[in-house]
């Protein structure tokens, strides 16, 4: 089975434009790449937005999620058009898990993401600490732009729990970002192992999908093969 469709799902605090480098890599290879602009207000809504994109496809797809997008693809990936899953420094949530439960008990010494207290139900990262925590391997100007163009992340999205994780039914791949200061690399490895994923490691920040599009595209090609 040749998979030609790739569906990319972004995480919290950002939108789908961060996928442009990965998009360029994959479209050059002849893949049809679709980018989900999930509003990150609630998991239920983001899964529905993702399923609408999957509904529109003419064949099987690799469903790819970064960060919180991993929870979205775990929930939406049971869709019949999904052939395989690719997690990019992402939360590979199990049944009944959410971002909140997965970050509740950080390992000793792990960096704590600089998430500000919620305002009217929305979260932001501390602008001054954004680069160091999220995008340490990006040029200063790019990290500053990402910090200043943050998408408000709804607290309901962090609390949304997965009903039936797609990785229990479909093959999965996982790219671990070894210098991630948002999701500790040991937690990434543990989630990948639990999901039975084929694992690749890249020396990169949480924004590895922006800083290393070639490495991310390579993993997605494996999931499409």
């Amino acid at each position: 089975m040749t998979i030609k469709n790739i569906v990319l799902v972004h995480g919290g605090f950002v939108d789908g434009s961060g996928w442009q480098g990965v998009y360029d890599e994959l479209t050059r290879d002849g893949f049809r790449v679709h980018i989900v602009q999930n509003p990150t207000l609630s998991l239920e809504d983001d899964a529905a937005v993702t399923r609408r994109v999957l509904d529109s496809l003419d064949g099987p797809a690799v469903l790819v999620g970064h960060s919180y997008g991993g929870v979205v693809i775990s929930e939406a990936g049971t869709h019949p058009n999904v052939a395989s899953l690719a997690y990019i420094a992402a939360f590979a949530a199990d049944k009944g898990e959410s971002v909140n439960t997965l970050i509740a008990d950080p390992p000793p010494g792990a960096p704590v993401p600089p998430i500000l207290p919620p305002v009217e139900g929305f979260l932001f990262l501390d602008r001054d600490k954004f680069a160091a925590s999220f995008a340490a391997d990006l040029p200063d100007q790019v990290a500053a732009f990402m910090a200043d163009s943050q998408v408000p992340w709804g607290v309901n999205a962090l609390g949304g729990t997965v009903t039936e994780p797609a990785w229990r039914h479909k093959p999965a791949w996982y790219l671990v970002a070894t210098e991630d200061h948002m999701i500790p690399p040991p937690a990434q490895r543990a989630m990948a192992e639990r999901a039975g994923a084929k694992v690749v490691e890249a020396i990169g920040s949480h924004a590895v999908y922006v800083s290393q599009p070639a490495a991310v595209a390579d993993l997605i090609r494996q999931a499409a093969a």
Side-chain angles (χ1 to χ4, degrees):
M1 176 177 64
T2 309
I3 301 173
K4 279 295 176 197
N5 290 296
I6 312 292
V7 178
L8 305 174
V9 182
H10 64 80
F13 306 120
V14 295
D15 66 11
S17 62
W19 288 113
Q20 183 166 356
V22 174
Y23 174 93
D24 291 345
E25 288 273 341
L26 293 171
T27 52
R28 200 178 301 131
D29 285 350
F31 287 102
R32 177 73 180 92
V33 184
H34 312 258
I35 294 164
V36 179
Q37 291 285 18
N38 47 318
T40 66
L41 299 178
S42 74
L43 175 60
E44 191 177 21
D45 184 41
D46 294 336
V49 171
T50 303
R51 286 189 196 103
R52 280 201 291 275
V53 173
L54 293 166
D55 285 341
S56 72
L57 304 182
D58 57 0
V62 180
L63 183 59
V64 184
H66 170 254
S67 193
Y68 159 72
V71 183
V72 179
I73 72 168
S74 295
E75 179 67 14
T78 53
H79 190 287
N81 280 342
V82 175
S84 58
L85 305 155
Y87 292 87
I88 312 299
F91 292 107
D94 203 350
K95 184 172 184 172
E97 289 182 343
S98 65
V99 170
N100 281 344
T101 66
L102 288 167
I103 65 173
D105 196 14
V112 177
I115 299 175
L116 298 171
V119 176
E120 296 183 358
F122 293 100
L123 299 169
F124 289 93
L125 286 179
D126 183 327
R127 186 192 171 281
D128 295 333
K129 297 175 181 172
F130 185 99
S133 63
F134 197 103
D137 57 352
L138 289 175
D140 292 348
Q141 282 291 97
V142 177
F145 179 80
M146 290 174 73
D148 285 331
S149 61
Q150 286 183 65
V151 177
W153 194 8
V155 293
N156 289 343
L158 283 82
T161 56
V162 169
T163 55
E164 181 56 40
W167 51 260
R168 290 201 173 276
H169 309 279
K170 317 230 170 148
W173 278 256
Y174 197 110
L175 185 135
V176 174
T178 62
E179 307 299 308
D180 197 326
H181 290 172
M182 294 289 292
I183 305 177
Q188 294 185 36
R189 293 183 188 107
M191 288 186 286
E193 184 178 359
R194 181 177 69 175
K198 297 173 186 69
V199 179
V200 171
E201 301 208 351
I203 300 169
S205 74
H206 193 57
V208 67
Y209 71 111
V210 183
S211 63
Q212 296 205 44
V216 173
D218 277 344
L219 181 92
I220 295 168
R221 287 185 196 102
Q222 290 178 35

